[in-house]
Amino acid sequence: MITIESITAALSEAVRSSEHNYVSESMALTPEDVGKRLYDDPIIAIGSADDPMWEEMKAPQAVGTLFRTPKEWLPQGRCVVSYFAPFSDFVVEGNKQDRVEVGNGWLYARVEGQAFLTEINHFLEQWFESQGVKALSPYASEEFKYVFEAGSCDDIADKSLSFTSNWSERHVAFICGLGTFGLSKGLITRRGVAGRFGSVIVDAPLEVTPRPYTEIYEYCTMCGACMRCPGEAITLAEGKSHTLCSAYVNTMRVKYAPRFGCGKCQVNVPCERGIPKK
Ligand code: B12
Ligand code: SF4
Ligand code: SF4
């Protein structure tokens, strides 16, 4: 029988044992970084493909019309398995050393680390297939679409859409029960905000995780610590501006080419490694 425990065990083993979860000699910016781990063991939550909240994601103020529900990705889909892979201490502590300079670990985690999660999404597809279950990772599929500034994506007909995608991993994680949004718009899980998400839609009737919250920003204390954002993208009144964040992160693409990143709103904050105390 497939349980949340058996999925977690298989996923953790895959994350632990893959050479791509460790800094290799060829990617290391300094020799001391070689062999350092990028992600800790992931946590998982399971949502129902029949949850009415999937449709709500199409509202313009949520994710928008681009969003496709689990059944629009996989018509026979029954459940969605969402995971959060927390960054290792190497990645998180390294990004705390300076208010502006991005740590080497964060740069590897943003670029090679995201490519590794695509590999992990494919691993999950194969693992479920080995159990006789069809699984699809929208993010890792060729049909995944995202847009930054309005009109910047040729593939998307509606040129008014901006900073959105047809499968937003944070909204998927929110529906599945992994956590709630913060003022910084990062999703805060019980292992914190510093890390990345992935998911697969499966055609098996798995046991669904209860959603332990009702409000979008329930875990955030609105303490404002993330307002130390070097791109001045976060305010208590307006929340986080994707436009300002994106513009700032683009300057990092020049500075750290071929890598980039920032993530200062996810380190040195009370929600970094867990749900902050109210
Ligand atoms: C586009 C994008 C960006 C854009 C814009 C951000 C955005 N729109 O989310 C830019 C370039 C700015 C960006 C930057 C970064 N990103 Co980014 N990005 C994405 C991407 C590809 C798509 C996001 C998306 O579809 N957003 C949809 C829009 C609509 O989301 P939103 O506006 O934030 O949502 C609000 C509304 O929905 C509102 N709302 C209103 N009504 C309702 C009703 C309901 C019911 C709900 C639930 C919500 C809701 O609440 C939400 C929060 O305010 C995802 C990957 C993916 N497939 O999901 C990664 C992703 C969001 N990024 C991620 C990360 C780590 C980063 C960076 C730290 C990277 C870095 N530079 O080092 C920064 C910082 C981001 C931050 N502070 O949140 C992670 C998030 C990790 C986390 N803990 O939350 C993701 C999920 C990638 C991953 N695989 O893990 N990113
Ligand atoms: S630093 Fe404070 S205000 Fe910002 S997201 Fe975390 S808990 Fe919320
Ligand atoms: S990633 Fe950087 S620029 Fe964007 S909101 Fe976070 S701290 Fe600000």
Side-chain angles (χ1 to χ4, degrees):
M1 200 174 81
I2 303 175
T3 60
I4 194 163
E5 289 78 19
S6 63
I7 307 167
T8 307
L11 186 59
S12 295
E13 178 53 29
V15 167
R16 247 177 257 152
S17 61
S18 171
E19 59 176 325
H20 296 141
N21 193 25
Y22 300 86
V23 179
S24 66
E25 268 179 41
S26 62
M27 70 194 247
L29 292 164
T30 68
E32 305 86 76
D33 293 349
V34 175
K36 294 285 194 315
R37 188 172 164 161
L38 298 180
Y39 295 103
D40 288 344
D41 290 0
I43 55 169
I44 285 182
I46 301 173
S48 164
D50 293 317
D51 193 316
M53 205 181 266
W54 296 112
E55 271 304 323
E56 287 175 37
M57 294 302 106
K58 292 186 183 236
Q61 72 277 15
V63 184
T65 48
L66 199 58
F67 186 80
R68 284 165 61 178
T69 64
K71 284 187 192 281
E72 285 169 333
W73 283 100
L74 185 71
Q76 73 273 33
R78 306 277 298 269
C79 286
V80 179
V81 178
S82 172
Y83 69 85
F84 175 70
F87 289 138
S88 66
D89 285 345
F90 164 65
V91 172
V92 173
E93 296 304 317
N95 205 29
K96 285 183 180 175
Q97 303 307 314
D98 191 274
R99 271 195 68 183
V100 174
E101 298 297 324
V102 184
N104 287 354
W106 199 275
L107 295 171
Y108 307 135
R110 175 63 193 86
V111 178
E112 288 89 346
Q114 181 55 46
F116 172 56
L117 285 197
T118 300
E119 193 182 304
I120 283 295
N121 287 334
H122 287 310
F123 162 81
L124 273 178
E125 290 175 334
Q126 286 151 15
W127 184 82
F128 276 105
E129 202 173 308
S130 73
Q131 317 274 318
V133 171
K134 169 76 185 158
L136 173 85
S137 161
Y139 186 77
S141 88
E142 285 180 0
E143 289 179 46
F144 175 71
K145 284 185 186 157
Y146 69 94
V147 57
F148 284 2
E149 286 80 12
S152 63
C153 180
D154 293 343
D155 263 11
I156 294 172
D158 185 344
K159 301 297 177 204
S160 69
L161 297 175
S162 65
F163 299 109
T164 190
S165 66
N166 57 4
W167 188 250
S168 169
E169 297 286 7
R170 285 169 307 142
H171 294 76
V172 170
F174 176 87
I175 294 177
C176 291
L178 266 185
T180 83
F181 290 85
L183 179 70
S184 68
K185 294 204 173 170
L187 198 88
I188 305 170
T189 71
R190 66 178 189 275
R191 286 291 319 274
V193 72
R196 301 185 79 85
F197 293 89
S199 58
V200 286
I201 305 163
V202 298
D203 69 358
L206 306 175
E207 189 178 336
V208 169
T209 313
R211 220 170 11 242
Y213 42 79
T214 51
E215 303 301 323
I216 304 172
Y217 299 102
E218 198 164 310
Y219 290 169
C220 176
T221 58
M222 297 289 160
C223 67
C226 52
M227 294 196 302
R228 284 190 301 254
C229 160
E232 296 180 1
I234 307 175
T235 60
L236 271 179
E238 308 273 337
K240 178 224 172 197
S241 155
H242 292 321
T243 308
L244 291 177
C245 169
S246 181
Y248 180 81
V249 172
N250 281 341
T251 65
M252 300 293 107
R253 287 179 197 269
V254 179
K255 189 170 184 182
Y256 295 106
R259 298 187 181 90
F260 66 100
C262 171
K264 298 296 176 185
C265 53
Q266 303 192 343
V267 297
N268 265 332
V269 287
C271 55
E272 174 190 294
R273 284 303 202 190
I275 299 166
K277 298 232 172 352
K278 296 248 171 183

